[in-house]
Amino acid sequence: MDQATQLRNIIKANAVSNTPKARVFTVTSGKGGVGKSNVSINLAVKLSKMGKRVVILDADFGLANIEVMFGAIPKFNLADLIYKGKSIQDIITQGPEGIGFISGGSGIAGLTNLSKEYINYLIQNLQKLDTLYDVIIIDTGAGISSAVLEFLIASKEIILVTTPEPTSITDSYSLLKALSRDARFNREMTRVKIVANKTENFEEGRQLFSKLSTVVSRYLKLPMTFVGVIPNDNQLVKAVMQQSPVSISAPNSKSSLAFDDLAKTLLSDSEEMITSRHGMAGFFANMVRGKRFT
């Protein structure tokens, strides 16, 4: 039996175990500056307030938006788990509302170039997240980099954040186009959920989704779901300047209430909750499937 076959057996054994599976949301955007990390953070806060155990994996290793907004500087990151023998508990930093936070750091860049032994070790540790948390939010980088696409290909639930700006809509389409053209992308098993951010009202968000959905359906044959609108809100701008999630600093603001609706919408579909629970081990199994190992 060659090493690739052995690895797939390891992945399969971990992914289909009886361990409870967390729900994994991968939050992304076609360009920077659309509020992707803000959505990740405030969604985490709302889900935590709903009684869910939540952890955020910051996979945007070029920036540190999550730790800045949480006011928490992690001692360790994913690279320390992979290369320095730290446990999964060691690399989890506690944020507000009991939310866990894992910094990807330089470990994200090399995930798909690991040896079989490292991958086995990583899967066994990541699987522990499925017992510690109900929801795992992966905050990716923005744009169409290979690192971002690797995470999206592995995802069953993608939350794509866009805004009414024409460039944001165009870049969102370009991201979906690159994703749909990848041979490893499974459109039947992936749910793309659109969040319209920085809108004047709900109707503007609905129209944004309609425009994007029309071209995506016609040219990419990729179904999408509209899951929410986050309106323009001075309280949210103020919260960002204060480096605090608006859901904590201004819980009654219109943007905070919109995040309430978004969290409820994402958890409302019982079928999605069942079919999407492949957990963190299953997520990573998708990420390394088809790779060559040494």
Side-chain angles (χ1 to χ4, degrees):
M1 184 183 298
D2 61 25
Q3 287 184 325
T5 301
Q6 291 175 359
L7 176 61
R8 293 186 185 98
N9 290 339
I10 290 168
I11 291 171
K12 184 177 180 181
N14 282 281
V16 301
S17 71
N18 292 325
T19 303
K21 303 297 191 297
R23 195 162 179 198
V24 182
F25 294 111
T26 303
V27 183
T28 194
S29 62
K31 64 188 292 278
V34 302
K36 168 185 59 64
S37 294
N38 225 335
V39 169
S40 295
I41 293 167
N42 284 286
L43 177 58
V45 171
K46 293 300 186 181
L47 290 171
S48 180
K49 288 179 177 291
M50 293 169 65
K52 301 298 181 182
R53 300 170 300 166
V54 186
V55 64
I56 298 177
L57 171 60
D58 187 358
D60 188 357
F61 62 92
L63 298 173
N65 291 336
I66 305 295
E67 59 189 75
V68 169
M69 291 292 289
F70 274 176
I73 301 175
K75 292 182 179 179
F76 306 109
N77 59 38
L78 194 60
D80 294 301
L81 170 68
I82 299 171
Y83 302 113
K84 297 184 179 180
K86 297 297 181 181
S87 70
I88 194 70
Q89 288 88 348
D90 288 335
I91 69 169
I92 298 174
T93 301
Q94 290 303 311
E97 301 294 330
I99 299 167
F101 163 63
I102 298 174
S103 171
S106 59
I108 292 294
L111 277 179
T112 57
N113 296 316
L114 298 176
S115 69
K116 182 192 68 173
E117 288 75 18
Y118 274 120
I119 288 175
N120 184 23
Y121 173 77
L122 185 58
I123 288 175
Q124 289 175 349
N125 277 273
L126 290 178
Q127 191 177 35
K128 296 176 183 177
L129 291 177
D130 290 332
T131 62
L132 296 172
Y133 297 99
D134 304 306
V135 178
I136 299 168
I137 296 174
I138 300 176
D139 188 60
T140 75
I144 315 175
S145 69
S146 58
V148 170
L149 289 177
E150 290 291 340
F151 276 95
L152 300 185
I153 289 164
S155 304
K156 283 192 174 182
E157 290 189 88
I158 297 170
I159 298 176
L160 175 58
V161 182
T162 188
T163 74
E165 293 182 6
T167 54
S168 178
I169 298 174
T170 300
D171 289 337
S172 294
Y173 175 79
S174 297
L175 175 63
L176 293 174
K177 181 179 179 180
L179 180 63
S180 66
R181 286 186 170 181
D182 194 295
R184 297 168 296 162
F185 176 62
N186 189 335
R187 65 182 64 236
E188 286 74 25
M189 295 297 294
T190 306
R191 301 292 178 265
V192 178
K193 304 165 189 286
I194 304 298
V195 172
N197 195 24
K198 301 182 181 182
T199 65
E200 290 302 319
N201 49 52
F202 183 87
E203 184 56 33
E204 183 180 34
R206 171 63 73 176
Q207 291 176 1
L208 184 162
F209 172 75
S210 180
K211 291 178 183 177
L212 182 59
S213 180
T214 297
V215 293
V216 169
S217 297
R218 179 179 300 172
Y219 298 109
L220 306 182
K221 311 299 181 185
L222 180 63
M224 302 188 304
T225 304
F226 182 54
V227 292
V229 164
I230 310 300
N232 284 319
D233 182 7
N234 290 333
Q235 292 288 340
L236 189 151
V237 176
K238 182 179 179 181
V240 171
M241 296 297 294
Q242 295 175 342
Q243 298 181 1
S244 173
V246 71
S247 297
I248 294 177
S249 62
N252 295 318
S253 63
K254 60 182 181 180
S255 57
S256 177
L257 296 177
F259 282 117
D260 264 326
D261 293 337
L262 174 61
K264 291 174 184 176
T265 298
L266 290 171
L267 294 185
S268 65
D269 195 325
S270 59
E271 181 181 357
E272 289 279 11
M273 292 180 70
I274 294 171
T275 59
S276 302
R277 286 179 179 268
H278 65 335
M280 199 60 189
F283 177 94
F284 191 71
N286 286 343
M287 195 169 187
V288 300
R289 184 174 290 117
K291 297 290 182 182
R292 296 179 62 89
F293 302 97
T294 59

